[in-house]
Amino acid sequence: MRVQAPDPTASGVHLFARYAYGPNRLGLCGPDEPATLLEAGTAHDHGDERLLRELAKGFDGAYPYLDLIARANGIGDPLDRRVVEAYWLGSPLSGGVTARELGRSVDDRFRRRMPRDRWRWLAETPAAGARPIHAFHVLDVFPKAGLLRGGPATGVLETIDSCRIRWGTVEALDGDWLEVAAPSMTLVDGKLALGHPAPTRVRAAVDGVGFLEAPALGDVVSIHWSWACDRLTPAGLAALEQSTRHELAIANRSI
């Protein structure tokens, strides 16, 4: 696969672009700028980030969480790499946000946008241990508020599975595509659960341009809306799996 490899020390701004690209290319989240995000996520020279920073603010699902994590941990930049990783994958930084702070943010953003019965369940999640990360937004906020740029979604379980950050082990390479073994979301006795890894086809590049440098069999990659975002380190994989299971347990309280 002919790819332009991002710098492994990519700034938080460019890491954000890699994870935001998947849904943006489908017209689901943020300003309509997939080409800009693809270029940013594959750039060796980080250059002037002002345009990307303004673009990131237009992701009204993600950016307020980034801002909340940064402020709670005394970090001046919501797009600091540590903050971006904490939001997409989970990290101790997300635990720096108190239940009161998260509750206030959720109230300000979502209370007026959903029926009272759904809001009652969502309002209880910060006290139950929810964290301001992408898994929380996908597993708790989205099912109750149906928040996509295009409006309410059908096929909620399938949409949740596509929207959450998944992990998968590369089993085959096919041009711009990867065959990975990835666990999918399922329902067990009426509760959300992660199934056993199953073959899944995800895109890794457009005409050879993607975010992974020379993907190889056995690599574990992160996936967002069927797009391979990044190669996961063991620590990153552990954080993502732990945060996903944590938020799943909280979401299942209201099902």
Side-chain angles (χ1 to χ4, degrees):
M1 179 182 294
R2 178 175 55 84
V3 297
Q4 292 176 287
D7 188 328
T9 59
S11 72
V13 177
H14 291 79
L15 188 63
F16 178 84
R18 294 185 212 172
Y19 281 93
Y21 175 73
N24 190 259
R25 85 190 200 282
L26 300 175
L28 298 175
C29 299
D32 186 17
E33 291 285 351
T36 302
L37 293 171
L38 181 62
E39 181 179 2
T42 57
H44 288 283
D45 180 7
H46 296 161
D48 189 343
E49 295 181 343
R50 287 176 294 182
L51 173 60
L52 282 172
R53 287 181 174 278
E54 287 303 310
L55 187 60
K57 292 177 183 178
F59 285 80
D60 56 6
Y63 197 83
Y65 292 115
L66 295 168
D67 185 59
L68 187 61
I69 295 169
R71 286 189 288 107
N73 288 281
I75 298 173
D77 181 9
L79 291 170
D80 182 290
R81 183 181 174 111
R82 296 168 296 170
V83 175
V84 173
E85 289 178 334
Y87 171 67
W88 292 114
L89 304 181
S91 88
L93 283 184
S94 62
V97 179
T98 67
R100 182 176 181 180
E101 289 168 329
L102 178 57
R104 186 183 304 119
S105 175
V106 169
D107 188 293
D108 289 345
R109 296 176 64 192
F110 305 120
R111 185 171 188 170
R112 294 186 298 273
R113 303 171 70 172
M114 63 180 62
R116 182 178 299 178
D117 59 335
R118 294 185 182 181
W119 166 249
R120 180 171 60 86
W121 287 111
L122 185 60
E124 295 175 354
T125 55
R131 296 288 180 259
I133 60 178
H134 187 66
F136 164 68
H137 190 78
V138 173
L139 295 169
D140 258 310
V141 177
F142 168 73
K144 295 174 177 61
L147 299 175
L148 287 175
R149 190 175 70 187
T154 57
V156 172
L157 185 62
E158 181 180 350
T159 301
I160 287 174
D161 208 33
S162 295
C163 189
R164 72 181 178 91
I165 307 302
R166 294 185 289 162
W167 59 91
T169 302
V170 177
E171 295 188 326
L173 310 175
D174 182 16
D176 285 349
W177 297 80
L178 304 175
E179 297 286 343
V180 304
S184 295
M185 196 71 66
T186 187
L187 286 173
V188 177
D189 296 329
K191 301 293 185 180
L192 292 169
L194 290 173
H196 296 294
T200 305
R201 185 172 169 85
V202 300
R203 190 152 196 171
V206 176
D207 295 331
V209 178
F211 302 148
L212 304 177
E213 179 181 7
L217 301 184
D219 283 350
V220 180
V221 298
S222 53
I223 304 159
H224 196 194
W225 284 100
S226 298
W227 179 270
C229 306
D230 203 7
R231 181 182 285 106
L232 290 171
T233 64
L237 172 61
L240 177 57
E241 184 169 1
Q242 190 279 330
S243 65
T244 300
R245 294 188 184 279
H246 176 78
E247 298 301 334
L248 263 176
I250 293 172
N252 278 328
R253 291 163 56 100
S254 63
I255 294 177

PDB file of all heavy atoms in Angstrom, residues 65 87-88 133-144 147 156-157 159-165 185 192 224-225 247 251:
ATOM      1  N   TYR A  65     -16.134  18.430  24.725  1.00  0.00           N
ATOM      2  CA  TYR A  65     -15.495  17.460  25.615  1.00  0.00           C
ATOM      3  C   TYR A  65     -13.999  17.732  25.717  1.00  0.00           C
ATOM      4  O   TYR A  65     -13.406  17.638  26.802  1.00  0.00           O
ATOM      5  CB  TYR A  65     -15.715  16.037  25.103  1.00  0.00           C
ATOM      6  CG  TYR A  65     -17.130  15.539  25.154  1.00  0.00           C
ATOM      7  CD1 TYR A  65     -17.821  15.242  23.982  1.00  0.00           C
ATOM      8  CD2 TYR A  65     -17.790  15.352  26.366  1.00  0.00           C
ATOM      9  CE1 TYR A  65     -19.119  14.756  24.006  1.00  0.00           C
ATOM     10  CE2 TYR A  65     -19.091  14.863  26.408  1.00  0.00           C
ATOM     11  CZ  TYR A  65     -19.754  14.570  25.233  1.00  0.00           C
ATOM     12  OH  TYR A  65     -21.047  14.096  25.270  1.00  0.00           O
ATOM     13  N   TYR A  87      -9.802  11.941  24.897  1.00  0.00           N
ATOM     14  CA  TYR A  87     -11.174  11.966  24.390  1.00  0.00           C
ATOM     15  C   TYR A  87     -11.483  10.759  23.519  1.00  0.00           C
ATOM     16  O   TYR A  87     -12.491  10.083  23.706  1.00  0.00           O
ATOM     17  CB  TYR A  87     -11.450  13.252  23.605  1.00  0.00           C
ATOM     18  CG  TYR A  87     -12.787  13.188  22.910  1.00  0.00           C
ATOM     19  CD1 TYR A  87     -13.962  13.164  23.646  1.00  0.00           C
ATOM     20  CD2 TYR A  87     -12.869  13.085  21.523  1.00  0.00           C
ATOM     21  CE1 TYR A  87     -15.199  13.048  23.020  1.00  0.00           C
ATOM     22  CE2 TYR A  87     -14.095  12.983  20.883  1.00  0.00           C
ATOM     23  CZ  TYR A  87     -15.258  12.964  21.638  1.00  0.00           C
ATOM     24  OH  TYR A  87     -16.481  12.837  21.019  1.00  0.00           O
ATOM     25  N   TRP A  88     -10.614  10.460  22.549  1.00  0.00           N
ATOM     26  CA  TRP A  88     -10.932   9.395  21.599  1.00  0.00           C
ATOM     27  C   TRP A  88     -10.739   8.002  22.189  1.00  0.00           C
ATOM     28  O   TRP A  88     -11.524   7.088  21.920  1.00  0.00           O
ATOM     29  CB  TRP A  88     -10.086   9.526  20.333  1.00  0.00           C
ATOM     30  CG  TRP A  88     -10.408  10.714  19.488  1.00  0.00           C
ATOM     31  CD1 TRP A  88      -9.592  11.781  19.242  1.00  0.00           C
ATOM     32  CD2 TRP A  88     -11.623  10.984  18.768  1.00  0.00           C
ATOM     33  NE1 TRP A  88     -10.231  12.692  18.421  1.00  0.00           N
ATOM     34  CE2 TRP A  88     -11.476  12.223  18.112  1.00  0.00           C
ATOM     35  CE3 TRP A  88     -12.822  10.289  18.617  1.00  0.00           C
ATOM     36  CZ2 TRP A  88     -12.468  12.783  17.319  1.00  0.00           C
ATOM     37  CZ3 TRP A  88     -13.820  10.845  17.823  1.00  0.00           C
ATOM     38  CH2 TRP A  88     -13.638  12.075  17.181  1.00  0.00           C
ATOM     39  N   ILE A 133     -15.736  11.274  27.325  1.00  0.00           N
ATOM     40  CA  ILE A 133     -14.968  10.693  26.229  1.00  0.00           C
ATOM     41  C   ILE A 133     -15.920  10.284  25.110  1.00  0.00           C
ATOM     42  O   ILE A 133     -17.132  10.280  25.283  1.00  0.00           O
ATOM     43  CB  ILE A 133     -14.139   9.490  26.715  1.00  0.00           C
ATOM     44  CG1 ILE A 133     -15.045   8.399  27.293  1.00  0.00           C
ATOM     45  CG2 ILE A 133     -13.102   9.934  27.740  1.00  0.00           C
ATOM     46  CD1 ILE A 133     -14.305   7.163  27.755  1.00  0.00           C
ATOM     47  N   HIS A 134     -15.336   9.926  23.989  1.00  0.00           N
ATOM     48  CA  HIS A 134     -16.160   9.604  22.829  1.00  0.00           C
ATOM     49  C   HIS A 134     -17.088   8.427  23.104  1.00  0.00           C
ATOM     50  O   HIS A 134     -18.239   8.415  22.660  1.00  0.00           O
ATOM     51  CB  HIS A 134     -15.259   9.301  21.633  1.00  0.00           C
ATOM     52  CG  HIS A 134     -15.997   9.109  20.354  1.00  0.00           C
ATOM     53  ND1 HIS A 134     -16.692  10.120  19.732  1.00  0.00           N
ATOM     54  CD2 HIS A 134     -16.157   8.007  19.573  1.00  0.00           C
ATOM     55  CE1 HIS A 134     -17.247   9.671  18.626  1.00  0.00           C
ATOM     56  NE2 HIS A 134     -16.945   8.388  18.508  1.00  0.00           N
ATOM     57  N   ALA A 135     -16.611   7.437  23.836  1.00  0.00           N
ATOM     58  CA  ALA A 135     -17.454   6.277  24.137  1.00  0.00           C
ATOM     59  C   ALA A 135     -18.693   6.688  24.920  1.00  0.00           C
ATOM     60  O   ALA A 135     -19.777   6.128  24.717  1.00  0.00           O
ATOM     61  CB  ALA A 135     -16.654   5.236  24.917  1.00  0.00           C
ATOM     62  N   PHE A 136     -18.569   7.647  25.808  1.00  0.00           N
ATOM     63  CA  PHE A 136     -19.736   8.144  26.542  1.00  0.00           C
ATOM     64  C   PHE A 136     -20.723   8.799  25.586  1.00  0.00           C
ATOM     65  O   PHE A 136     -21.938   8.550  25.646  1.00  0.00           O
ATOM     66  CB  PHE A 136     -19.285   9.152  27.608  1.00  0.00           C
ATOM     67  CG  PHE A 136     -20.403   9.996  28.167  1.00  0.00           C
ATOM     68  CD1 PHE A 136     -21.397   9.434  28.955  1.00  0.00           C
ATOM     69  CD2 PHE A 136     -20.470  11.356  27.892  1.00  0.00           C
ATOM     70  CE1 PHE A 136     -22.435  10.213  29.473  1.00  0.00           C
ATOM     71  CE2 PHE A 136     -21.488  12.134  28.395  1.00  0.00           C
ATOM     72  CZ  PHE A 136     -22.481  11.566  29.187  1.00  0.00           C
ATOM     73  N   HIS A 137     -20.218   9.628  24.694  1.00  0.00           N
ATOM     74  CA  HIS A 137     -21.102  10.331  23.761  1.00  0.00           C
ATOM     75  C   HIS A 137     -21.843   9.329  22.867  1.00  0.00           C
ATOM     76  O   HIS A 137     -23.042   9.478  22.620  1.00  0.00           O
ATOM     77  CB  HIS A 137     -20.287  11.289  22.904  1.00  0.00           C
ATOM     78  CG  HIS A 137     -21.131  12.218  22.086  1.00  0.00           C
ATOM     79  ND1 HIS A 137     -21.748  13.323  22.612  1.00  0.00           N
ATOM     80  CD2 HIS A 137     -21.466  12.193  20.773  1.00  0.00           C
ATOM     81  CE1 HIS A 137     -22.442  13.939  21.667  1.00  0.00           C
ATOM     82  NE2 HIS A 137     -22.278  13.277  20.535  1.00  0.00           N
ATOM     83  N   VAL A 138     -21.131   8.297  22.411  1.00  0.00           N
ATOM     84  CA  VAL A 138     -21.730   7.322  21.497  1.00  0.00           C
ATOM     85  C   VAL A 138     -22.716   6.409  22.210  1.00  0.00           C
ATOM     86  O   VAL A 138     -23.812   6.132  21.700  1.00  0.00           O
ATOM     87  CB  VAL A 138     -20.629   6.484  20.818  1.00  0.00           C
ATOM     88  CG1 VAL A 138     -21.236   5.347  20.006  1.00  0.00           C
ATOM     89  CG2 VAL A 138     -19.772   7.359  19.917  1.00  0.00           C
ATOM     90  N   LEU A 139     -22.354   5.939  23.393  1.00  0.00           N
ATOM     91  CA  LEU A 139     -23.150   4.915  24.065  1.00  0.00           C
ATOM     92  C   LEU A 139     -24.267   5.471  24.932  1.00  0.00           C
ATOM     93  O   LEU A 139     -25.270   4.787  25.155  1.00  0.00           O
ATOM     94  CB  LEU A 139     -22.233   4.027  24.913  1.00  0.00           C
ATOM     95  CG  LEU A 139     -21.215   3.207  24.118  1.00  0.00           C
ATOM     96  CD1 LEU A 139     -20.198   2.577  25.047  1.00  0.00           C
ATOM     97  CD2 LEU A 139     -21.915   2.138  23.291  1.00  0.00           C
ATOM     98  N   ASP A 140     -24.107   6.693  25.425  1.00  0.00           N
ATOM     99  CA  ASP A 140     -25.137   7.255  26.294  1.00  0.00           C
ATOM    100  C   ASP A 140     -25.874   8.443  25.682  1.00  0.00           C
ATOM    101  O   ASP A 140     -27.091   8.490  25.687  1.00  0.00           O
ATOM    102  CB  ASP A 140     -24.534   7.675  27.640  1.00  0.00           C
ATOM    103  CG  ASP A 140     -24.832   6.661  28.724  1.00  0.00           C
ATOM    104  OD1 ASP A 140     -26.000   6.283  28.866  1.00  0.00           O
ATOM    105  OD2 ASP A 140     -23.893   6.235  29.416  1.00  0.00           O
ATOM    106  N   VAL A 141     -25.121   9.398  25.144  1.00  0.00           N
ATOM    107  CA  VAL A 141     -25.771  10.605  24.626  1.00  0.00           C
ATOM    108  C   VAL A 141     -26.484  10.314  23.310  1.00  0.00           C
ATOM    109  O   VAL A 141     -27.672  10.624  23.148  1.00  0.00           O
ATOM    110  CB  VAL A 141     -24.749  11.742  24.431  1.00  0.00           C
ATOM    111  CG1 VAL A 141     -25.436  12.959  23.809  1.00  0.00           C
ATOM    112  CG2 VAL A 141     -24.112  12.110  25.759  1.00  0.00           C
ATOM    113  N   PHE A 142     -25.761   9.707  22.365  1.00  0.00           N
ATOM    114  CA  PHE A 142     -26.351   9.510  21.042  1.00  0.00           C
ATOM    115  C   PHE A 142     -27.641   8.692  21.052  1.00  0.00           C
ATOM    116  O   PHE A 142     -28.628   9.082  20.431  1.00  0.00           O
ATOM    117  CB  PHE A 142     -25.336   8.879  20.081  1.00  0.00           C
ATOM    118  CG  PHE A 142     -25.961   8.399  18.812  1.00  0.00           C
ATOM    119  CD1 PHE A 142     -26.389   9.307  17.854  1.00  0.00           C
ATOM    120  CD2 PHE A 142     -26.190   7.052  18.590  1.00  0.00           C
ATOM    121  CE1 PHE A 142     -27.012   8.877  16.699  1.00  0.00           C
ATOM    122  CE2 PHE A 142     -26.809   6.613  17.448  1.00  0.00           C
ATOM    123  CZ  PHE A 142     -27.221   7.530  16.498  1.00  0.00           C
ATOM    124  N   PRO A 143     -27.691   7.542  21.729  1.00  0.00           N
ATOM    125  CA  PRO A 143     -28.941   6.765  21.681  1.00  0.00           C
ATOM    126  C   PRO A 143     -30.142   7.514  22.247  1.00  0.00           C
ATOM    127  O   PRO A 143     -31.278   7.258  21.848  1.00  0.00           O
ATOM    128  CB  PRO A 143     -28.624   5.534  22.541  1.00  0.00           C
ATOM    129  CG  PRO A 143     -27.148   5.415  22.499  1.00  0.00           C
ATOM    130  CD  PRO A 143     -26.648   6.833  22.476  1.00  0.00           C
ATOM    131  N   LYS A 144     -29.897   8.449  23.159  1.00  0.00           N
ATOM    132  CA  LYS A 144     -31.002   9.173  23.767  1.00  0.00           C
ATOM    133  C   LYS A 144     -31.355  10.449  23.013  1.00  0.00           C
ATOM    134  O   LYS A 144     -32.485  10.911  23.050  1.00  0.00           O
ATOM    135  CB  LYS A 144     -30.668   9.488  25.225  1.00  0.00           C
ATOM    136  CG  LYS A 144     -30.528   8.224  26.081  1.00  0.00           C
ATOM    137  CD  LYS A 144     -30.067   8.547  27.475  1.00  0.00           C
ATOM    138  CE  LYS A 144     -30.000   7.278  28.323  1.00  0.00           C
ATOM    139  NZ  LYS A 144     -29.060   6.280  27.799  1.00  0.00           N
ATOM    140  N   LEU A 147     -28.048  12.277  17.955  1.00  0.00           N
ATOM    141  CA  LEU A 147     -27.339  13.451  17.472  1.00  0.00           C
ATOM    142  C   LEU A 147     -26.355  13.128  16.360  1.00  0.00           C
ATOM    143  O   LEU A 147     -25.243  12.689  16.590  1.00  0.00           O
ATOM    144  CB  LEU A 147     -26.583  14.115  18.636  1.00  0.00           C
ATOM    145  CG  LEU A 147     -27.465  14.597  19.784  1.00  0.00           C
ATOM    146  CD1 LEU A 147     -26.600  15.120  20.924  1.00  0.00           C
ATOM    147  CD2 LEU A 147     -28.411  15.676  19.309  1.00  0.00           C
ATOM    148  N   VAL A 156     -30.160   2.008  15.180  1.00  0.00           N
ATOM    149  CA  VAL A 156     -29.342   2.590  16.231  1.00  0.00           C
ATOM    150  C   VAL A 156     -28.163   1.706  16.611  1.00  0.00           C
ATOM    151  O   VAL A 156     -27.034   2.194  16.767  1.00  0.00           O
ATOM    152  CB  VAL A 156     -30.201   2.913  17.472  1.00  0.00           C
ATOM    153  CG1 VAL A 156     -29.326   3.343  18.641  1.00  0.00           C
ATOM    154  CG2 VAL A 156     -31.192   4.018  17.145  1.00  0.00           C
ATOM    155  N   LEU A 157     -28.359   0.397  16.749  1.00  0.00           N
ATOM    156  CA  LEU A 157     -27.262  -0.483  17.157  1.00  0.00           C
ATOM    157  C   LEU A 157     -26.136  -0.467  16.124  1.00  0.00           C
ATOM    158  O   LEU A 157     -24.958  -0.356  16.476  1.00  0.00           O
ATOM    159  CB  LEU A 157     -27.772  -1.908  17.358  1.00  0.00           C
ATOM    160  CG  LEU A 157     -26.746  -2.906  17.902  1.00  0.00           C
ATOM    161  CD1 LEU A 157     -26.276  -2.496  19.278  1.00  0.00           C
ATOM    162  CD2 LEU A 157     -27.337  -4.313  17.935  1.00  0.00           C
ATOM    163  N   THR A 159     -25.510   1.902  14.007  1.00  0.00           N
ATOM    164  CA  THR A 159     -24.907   3.230  14.015  1.00  0.00           C
ATOM    165  C   THR A 159     -23.956   3.392  15.188  1.00  0.00           C
ATOM    166  O   THR A 159     -22.857   3.943  15.048  1.00  0.00           O
ATOM    167  CB  THR A 159     -26.004   4.312  14.072  1.00  0.00           C
ATOM    168  OG1 THR A 159     -26.862   4.162  12.947  1.00  0.00           O
ATOM    169  CG2 THR A 159     -25.396   5.704  14.058  1.00  0.00           C
ATOM    170  N   ILE A 160     -24.365   2.913  16.367  1.00  0.00           N
ATOM    171  CA  ILE A 160     -23.488   2.967  17.537  1.00  0.00           C
ATOM    172  C   ILE A 160     -22.179   2.231  17.251  1.00  0.00           C
ATOM    173  O   ILE A 160     -21.085   2.702  17.574  1.00  0.00           O
ATOM    174  CB  ILE A 160     -24.198   2.357  18.762  1.00  0.00           C
ATOM    175  CG1 ILE A 160     -25.287   3.304  19.270  1.00  0.00           C
ATOM    176  CG2 ILE A 160     -23.198   2.059  19.882  1.00  0.00           C
ATOM    177  CD1 ILE A 160     -26.126   2.704  20.386  1.00  0.00           C
ATOM    178  N   ASP A 161     -22.282   1.062  16.649  1.00  0.00           N
ATOM    179  CA  ASP A 161     -21.093   0.264  16.393  1.00  0.00           C
ATOM    180  C   ASP A 161     -20.161   0.961  15.406  1.00  0.00           C
ATOM    181  O   ASP A 161     -18.937   0.878  15.532  1.00  0.00           O
ATOM    182  CB  ASP A 161     -21.497  -1.108  15.862  1.00  0.00           C
ATOM    183  CG  ASP A 161     -20.478  -2.179  16.189  1.00  0.00           C
ATOM    184  OD1 ASP A 161     -19.838  -2.086  17.255  1.00  0.00           O
ATOM    185  OD2 ASP A 161     -20.329  -3.117  15.391  1.00  0.00           O
ATOM    186  N   SER A 162     -20.725   1.629  14.424  1.00  0.00           N
ATOM    187  CA  SER A 162     -19.902   2.353  13.454  1.00  0.00           C
ATOM    188  C   SER A 162     -19.277   3.601  14.072  1.00  0.00           C
ATOM    189  O   SER A 162     -18.137   3.953  13.763  1.00  0.00           O
ATOM    190  CB  SER A 162     -20.742   2.761  12.239  1.00  0.00           C
ATOM    191  OG  SER A 162     -21.195   1.633  11.533  1.00  0.00           O
ATOM    192  N   CYS A 163     -20.034   4.254  14.945  1.00  0.00           N
ATOM    193  CA  CYS A 163     -19.596   5.536  15.490  1.00  0.00           C
ATOM    194  C   CYS A 163     -18.565   5.382  16.601  1.00  0.00           C
ATOM    195  O   CYS A 163     -17.682   6.218  16.750  1.00  0.00           O
ATOM    196  CB  CYS A 163     -20.807   6.311  16.004  1.00  0.00           C
ATOM    197  SG  CYS A 163     -20.463   8.020  16.468  1.00  0.00           S
ATOM    198  N   ARG A 164     -18.681   4.317  17.394  1.00  0.00           N
ATOM    199  CA  ARG A 164     -17.699   4.157  18.468  1.00  0.00           C
ATOM    200  C   ARG A 164     -16.326   3.889  17.861  1.00  0.00           C
ATOM    201  O   ARG A 164     -16.210   3.412  16.724  1.00  0.00           O
ATOM    202  CB  ARG A 164     -18.099   3.010  19.395  1.00  0.00           C
ATOM    203  CG  ARG A 164     -17.928   1.625  18.807  1.00  0.00           C
ATOM    204  CD  ARG A 164     -18.368   0.548  19.774  1.00  0.00           C
ATOM    205  NE  ARG A 164     -18.250  -0.783  19.173  1.00  0.00           N
ATOM    206  CZ  ARG A 164     -17.166  -1.545  19.255  1.00  0.00           C
ATOM    207  NH1 ARG A 164     -16.105  -1.110  19.907  1.00  0.00           N
ATOM    208  NH2 ARG A 164     -17.139  -2.734  18.691  1.00  0.00           N
ATOM    209  N   ILE A 165     -15.266   4.209  18.605  1.00  0.00           N
ATOM    210  CA  ILE A 165     -13.919   3.885  18.155  1.00  0.00           C
ATOM    211  C   ILE A 165     -13.693   2.404  18.436  1.00  0.00           C
ATOM    212  O   ILE A 165     -13.674   1.962  19.581  1.00  0.00           O
ATOM    213  CB  ILE A 165     -12.858   4.733  18.881  1.00  0.00           C
ATOM    214  CG1 ILE A 165     -13.193   6.227  18.758  1.00  0.00           C
ATOM    215  CG2 ILE A 165     -11.477   4.451  18.298  1.00  0.00           C
ATOM    216  CD1 ILE A 165     -13.299   6.748  17.356  1.00  0.00           C
ATOM    217  N   MET A 185     -20.649  -4.619  18.252  1.00  0.00           N
ATOM    218  CA  MET A 185     -21.653  -4.442  19.293  1.00  0.00           C
ATOM    219  C   MET A 185     -22.833  -5.369  19.031  1.00  0.00           C
ATOM    220  O   MET A 185     -23.263  -5.562  17.895  1.00  0.00           O
ATOM    221  CB  MET A 185     -22.128  -2.996  19.306  1.00  0.00           C
ATOM    222  CG  MET A 185     -22.883  -2.602  20.567  1.00  0.00           C
ATOM    223  SD  MET A 185     -21.788  -2.498  21.985  1.00  0.00           S
ATOM    224  CE  MET A 185     -20.760  -1.108  21.523  1.00  0.00           C
ATOM    225  N   LEU A 192     -26.372  -4.128  25.937  1.00  0.00           N
ATOM    226  CA  LEU A 192     -25.282  -3.957  24.990  1.00  0.00           C
ATOM    227  C   LEU A 192     -24.069  -4.772  25.428  1.00  0.00           C
ATOM    228  O   LEU A 192     -23.745  -4.826  26.621  1.00  0.00           O
ATOM    229  CB  LEU A 192     -24.888  -2.482  24.895  1.00  0.00           C
ATOM    230  CG  LEU A 192     -25.909  -1.538  24.261  1.00  0.00           C
ATOM    231  CD1 LEU A 192     -25.484  -0.089  24.486  1.00  0.00           C
ATOM    232  CD2 LEU A 192     -26.058  -1.814  22.776  1.00  0.00           C
ATOM    233  N   HIS A 224     -12.909   4.205  12.938  1.00  0.00           N
ATOM    234  CA  HIS A 224     -14.034   5.106  13.161  1.00  0.00           C
ATOM    235  C   HIS A 224     -14.829   5.209  11.868  1.00  0.00           C
ATOM    236  O   HIS A 224     -14.309   5.641  10.849  1.00  0.00           O
ATOM    237  CB  HIS A 224     -13.525   6.489  13.585  1.00  0.00           C
ATOM    238  CG  HIS A 224     -14.576   7.360  14.185  1.00  0.00           C
ATOM    239  ND1 HIS A 224     -14.380   8.715  14.366  1.00  0.00           N
ATOM    240  CD2 HIS A 224     -15.813   7.092  14.678  1.00  0.00           C
ATOM    241  CE1 HIS A 224     -15.445   9.236  14.937  1.00  0.00           C
ATOM    242  NE2 HIS A 224     -16.331   8.272  15.129  1.00  0.00           N
ATOM    243  N   TRP A 225     -16.078   4.777  11.899  1.00  0.00           N
ATOM    244  CA  TRP A 225     -16.934   4.751  10.710  1.00  0.00           C
ATOM    245  C   TRP A 225     -16.230   4.052   9.548  1.00  0.00           C
ATOM    246  O   TRP A 225     -16.120   4.584   8.441  1.00  0.00           O
ATOM    247  CB  TRP A 225     -17.390   6.157  10.325  1.00  0.00           C
ATOM    248  CG  TRP A 225     -18.475   6.676  11.220  1.00  0.00           C
ATOM    249  CD1 TRP A 225     -18.333   7.533  12.265  1.00  0.00           C
ATOM    250  CD2 TRP A 225     -19.878   6.375  11.152  1.00  0.00           C
ATOM    251  NE1 TRP A 225     -19.548   7.772  12.875  1.00  0.00           N
ATOM    252  CE2 TRP A 225     -20.516   7.067  12.204  1.00  0.00           C
ATOM    253  CE3 TRP A 225     -20.650   5.565  10.306  1.00  0.00           C
ATOM    254  CZ2 TRP A 225     -21.890   6.983  12.428  1.00  0.00           C
ATOM    255  CZ3 TRP A 225     -22.018   5.480  10.527  1.00  0.00           C
ATOM    256  CH2 TRP A 225     -22.622   6.200  11.577  1.00  0.00           C
ATOM    257  N   GLU A 247     -17.905   2.492  29.827  1.00  0.00           N
ATOM    258  CA  GLU A 247     -19.080   3.255  29.399  1.00  0.00           C
ATOM    259  C   GLU A 247     -20.230   2.324  28.996  1.00  0.00           C
ATOM    260  O   GLU A 247     -21.400   2.689  29.142  1.00  0.00           O
ATOM    261  CB  GLU A 247     -18.714   4.197  28.256  1.00  0.00           C
ATOM    262  CG  GLU A 247     -17.665   5.245  28.608  1.00  0.00           C
ATOM    263  CD  GLU A 247     -18.069   6.159  29.754  1.00  0.00           C
ATOM    264  OE1 GLU A 247     -19.285   6.351  29.990  1.00  0.00           O
ATOM    265  OE2 GLU A 247     -17.158   6.682  30.429  1.00  0.00           O
ATOM    266  N   ALA A 251     -24.036   2.661  30.273  1.00  0.00           N
ATOM    267  CA  ALA A 251     -25.157   2.743  29.328  1.00  0.00           C
ATOM    268  C   ALA A 251     -26.188   1.672  29.613  1.00  0.00           C
ATOM    269  O   ALA A 251     -27.416   1.908  29.499  1.00  0.00           O
ATOM    270  CB  ALA A 251     -24.631   2.613  27.901  1.00  0.00           C
TER     271      ALA A 251
END
